[in-house]
């Protein structure tokens, strides 16, 4: 099959549609934030409801990303069925076109993306990032003589050892333990800050909702649609 371009394809997504889809993502996030901020007002377990809202939030992100590909004119393989393609089909058709030599297009980054990063991604320091990029151990497995495949230990301060914990020296192991405790404390602090940001954002969302609810009540009383 020959990849199609936006001018050849039947799909079309306007800038207006993208704005609405991005706002839909934000509304889903607002719903989760408000629900989580209700903990002090309602002694109920809303875990299942939050999971359902997260699923909708993820689906809204997927829909936006697929729409943004179409809006940017991303090359797509020919449709596989009649009618508009679902978001996952758009991704699959774009990947198929890329495999045939077309250029890859990334989804647009928007306000909703910024909010997701700020409120749902744990922010860690440089040490944590260095720990995640550790090379392989230089030691060998005693029983087989093969090269060790474990990652080297992280010693803190952006430094890593040359061997994994099993092959490290006693001094390196002790330094690793100290650094591990520091990283755990950093994660705990970062998680606490993240949860505080979510709670504060949830309170703001609830306040806005209640203000809008009062305005809606007044419109309804005046005979207008309460939207």
């Amino acid at each position: 099959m020959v990849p199609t371009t936006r001018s050849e394809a039947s799909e079309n997504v306007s800038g207006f549609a993208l704005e609405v889809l991005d706002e839909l993502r934000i509304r889903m996030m607002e719903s989760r934030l408000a629900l989580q901020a209700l903990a002090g007002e309602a002694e109920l377990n809303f875990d299942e409801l939050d999971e359902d809202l997260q699923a909708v939030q993820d689906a809204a992100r997927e829909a936006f990303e697929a729409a943004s590909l179409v809006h940017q004119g991303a090359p797509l393989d020919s449709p596989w069925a009649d009618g508009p393609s679902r978001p996952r089909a758009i991704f699959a058709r774009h990947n198929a076109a890329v495999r045939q030599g077309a250029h890859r297009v990334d989804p647009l980054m928007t306000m909703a993306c910024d909010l997701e990063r700020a409120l749902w991604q744990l922010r860690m320091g440089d040490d944590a990032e260095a720990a995640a990029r550790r090379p392989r151990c230089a030691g060998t497995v005693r029983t087989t003589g093969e090269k060790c495949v474990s990652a080297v230990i992280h010693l803190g301060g952006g430094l890593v050892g040359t061997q994994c914990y099993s092959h490290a020296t006693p001094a390196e192991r002790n330094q690793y333990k100290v650094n591990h405790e520091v990283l755990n404390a950093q994660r705990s602090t970062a998680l606490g800050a993240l949860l505080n940001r979510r709670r504060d954002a949830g309170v703001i969302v609830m306040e806005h909702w209640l203000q809008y609810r009062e305005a809606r009540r007044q419109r309804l009383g005046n005979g207008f649609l309460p939207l």
Side-chain angles (χ1 to χ4, degrees):
M1 294 183 181
V2 179
T4 61
T5 63
R6 180 168 59 177
S7 60
E8 298 168 334
S10 59
E11 288 90 354
N12 179 60
V13 174
S14 67
F16 175 81
L18 276 186
E19 292 286 338
V20 173
L21 285 171
D22 196 51
E23 188 63 25
L24 177 62
R25 294 174 60 189
I26 294 174
R27 298 292 177 170
M28 294 303 101
M29 284 185 267
E30 287 182 344
S31 297
R32 293 188 65 199
L33 291 168
L35 184 66
Q36 292 168 11
L38 276 179
E41 301 290 337
E43 294 184 359
L44 293 173
N45 188 332
F46 294 120
D47 286 353
E48 291 182 347
L49 177 55
D50 184 62
E51 290 175 0
D52 291 340
L53 290 173
Q54 180 177 354
V56 178
Q57 178 183 335
D58 293 341
R61 182 196 312 113
E62 189 175 77
F64 171 84
E65 290 177 346
S68 75
L69 292 183
V70 175
H71 178 74
Q72 294 178 85
L76 303 173
D77 198 9
S78 299
W80 304 327
D82 295 333
S85 295
R86 292 185 173 90
R88 292 185 182 180
I90 293 293
F91 297 139
R93 289 172 58 195
H94 180 52
N95 289 334
V98 171
R99 287 194 297 270
Q100 297 174 52
H103 67 281
R104 180 172 296 280
V105 176
D106 294 323
L108 295 171
M109 300 298 292
T110 62
M111 188 189 309
C113 300
D114 294 337
L115 288 174
E116 279 188 331
R117 283 195 299 270
L119 296 171
W120 271 277
Q121 291 186 10
L122 195 61
R123 299 175 182 175
M124 294 298 297
D126 294 338
D127 270 5
E129 294 180 3
R133 298 192 302 266
R134 293 171 294 167
R136 294 284 180 86
C137 174
T140 57
V141 180
R142 182 186 306 174
T143 56
T144 64
E146 297 179 351
K147 293 191 66 174
C148 180
V149 297
S150 299
V152 300
I153 58 175
H154 183 233
L155 303 176
L159 301 176
V160 295
T162 59
Q163 302 182 103
C164 66
Y165 186 83
S166 297
H167 293 110
T169 65
E172 286 178 329
R173 290 185 182 183
N174 183 64
Q175 188 173 352
Y176 165 80
K177 291 178 181 178
V178 172
N179 179 63
H180 190 66
E181 292 176 356
V182 171
L183 286 180
N184 283 340
Q186 289 178 350
R187 289 191 184 95
S188 178
T189 300
L191 178 59
L194 180 65
L195 294 177
N196 286 338
R197 286 198 301 273
R198 283 189 203 165
R199 185 188 63 248
D200 294 343
V203 171
I204 293 173
V205 168
M206 289 192 297
E207 291 174 349
H208 287 174
W209 281 6
L210 292 179
Q211 291 172 4
Y212 190 78
R213 182 178 177 84
E214 180 58 31
R216 177 185 287 137
R217 181 181 290 111
Q218 293 177 9
R219 286 196 298 273
L220 180 61
N222 293 330
F224 297 103
L225 287 175
L227 298 175

